[in-house]
């Protein structure tokens, strides 16, 4: 049985004979760009072109004081520069080691998404505090300008990173319904 990134079984997804991927964008985009047999991909909360922009956004929205936010962002940028310009070293920050940080900080999502040829749906919460909805918008606009018609973007203005509304109520059921409609439009009806 197929599972969504939330860990819940997706019974309708299991009915398709085609290969589909659902989950977080960084991994899925890389897989979809390198494997031709993937028929469709759905990615949640894509973020912008560069990971550093999303981390900066996350830091900024957690601060009430812009000067303190700037100080923390500058500190993170110093950390990022050190990781990108150093040979591997012992590191664990937020549960991740050097290689993860080096890969995430050097990954250009635009270059990766340009390589994706199968249908791709990117779902973004407009109230996301973990990745920048504005940077996601900019990335999607750039892809549109490059003629990437296989990539669709749906921004849910009132939802956060966990696809919850401002009252904290999950809207996953509605999002999964939208995802199923999108999959049907790309792959046809599931086999019974």
């Amino acid at each position: 049985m197929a599972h969504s990134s939330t860990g819940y079984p997706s019974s309708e997804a299991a009915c398709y004979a085609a290969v589909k991927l659902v989950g977080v964008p960084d991994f899925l985009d890389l897989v979809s760009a390198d494997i031709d047999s993937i028929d469709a991909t759905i990615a949640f909360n894509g973020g912008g072109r560069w990971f550093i922009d999303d981390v900066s956004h996350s830091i900024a929205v957690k601060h009430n004081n812009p000067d303190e936010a700037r100080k923390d962002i500058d500190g993170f940028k110093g950390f990022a520069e050190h990781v990108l310009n150093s040979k591997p070293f012992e590191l664990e920050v937020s549960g991740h080691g050097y290689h993860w940080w080096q890969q995430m900080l050097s990954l250009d999502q635009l270059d990766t998404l340009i390589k994706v040829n199968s249908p791709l749906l990117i779902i973004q919460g407009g109230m996301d505090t973990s990745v920048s909805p504005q940077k996601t918008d900019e990335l999607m606009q750039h892809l549109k300008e490059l003629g990437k018609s296989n990539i669709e973007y749906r921004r849910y203005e009132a939802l956060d990173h966990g696809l919850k509304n401002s009252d904290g109520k999950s809207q996953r059921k509605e999002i999964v319904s939208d995802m199923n409609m999108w999959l049907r439009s790309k792959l046809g009806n599931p086999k019974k």
Side-chain angles (χ1 to χ4, degrees), residues 33-182:
D34 290 338
I35 300 176
D36 293 330
S37 61
I38 293 175
D39 297 301
T41 305
I42 300 173
F44 298 102
N45 301 313
R49 181 174 181 176
W50 301 104
F51 182 66
I52 197 164
D53 293 330
D54 293 317
V55 174
S56 296
H57 168 77
S58 180
I59 292 169
V61 297
K62 289 177 176 47
H63 278 284
N64 292 328
N65 181 326
D67 292 332
E68 288 296 316
R70 174 57 40 212
K71 181 179 169 188
D72 285 353
I73 290 168
D74 289 345
F76 179 76
K77 287 182 177 180
F79 162 79
E81 188 173 322
H82 179 69
V83 168
L84 290 170
N85 294 310
S86 298
K87 293 183 184 209
F89 60 94
E90 191 68 32
L91 171 73
E92 183 165 334
V93 175
S94 298
H96 301 290
Y98 168 85
H99 292 289
W100 185 90
W101 281 103
Q102 201 283 331
Q103 181 181 14
M104 294 303 294
L105 291 165
S106 59
L107 178 68
D108 181 346
Q109 284 212 96
L110 178 64
D111 285 347
T112 302
L113 290 169
I114 286 171
K115 297 174 190 171
V116 175
N117 294 315
S118 61
L120 169 61
L121 173 63
I122 296 179
I123 294 171
Q124 176 65 56
M127 301 303 292
D128 197 325
T129 60
S130 296
V131 300
S132 170
Q134 179 183 4
K135 292 293 183 182
T136 308
D137 293 347
E138 291 171 11
L139 177 62
M140 294 303 108
Q141 182 60 38
H142 199 80
L143 288 164
K144 184 178 178 182
E145 291 166 2
L146 292 172
K148 290 297 291 179
S149 60
N150 63 307
I151 299 176
E152 295 181 40
Y153 177 49
R154 296 195 185 159
R155 179 170 165 160
Y156 294 82
E157 286 300 330
L159 302 185
D160 66 10
H161 193 74
L163 305 176
K164 295 178 183 175
N165 64 19
S166 60
D167 294 329
K169 183 179 178 200
S170 174
Q171 300 300 303
R172 287 185 185 139
K173 186 174 182 177
E174 292 80 358
I175 303 298
V176 168
S177 176
D178 288 351
M179 289 167 36
N180 281 325
M181 287 191 313
W182 182 82

Side-chain angles (χ1 to χ4, degrees), residues 20-38:
K20 295 155 295 301
L21 294 176
V22 178
V24 294
D26 304 320
F27 169 74
L28 294 178
D29 297 343
L30 288 170
V31 171
S32 295
D34 290 338
I35 300 176
D36 293 330
S37 61
I38 293 175

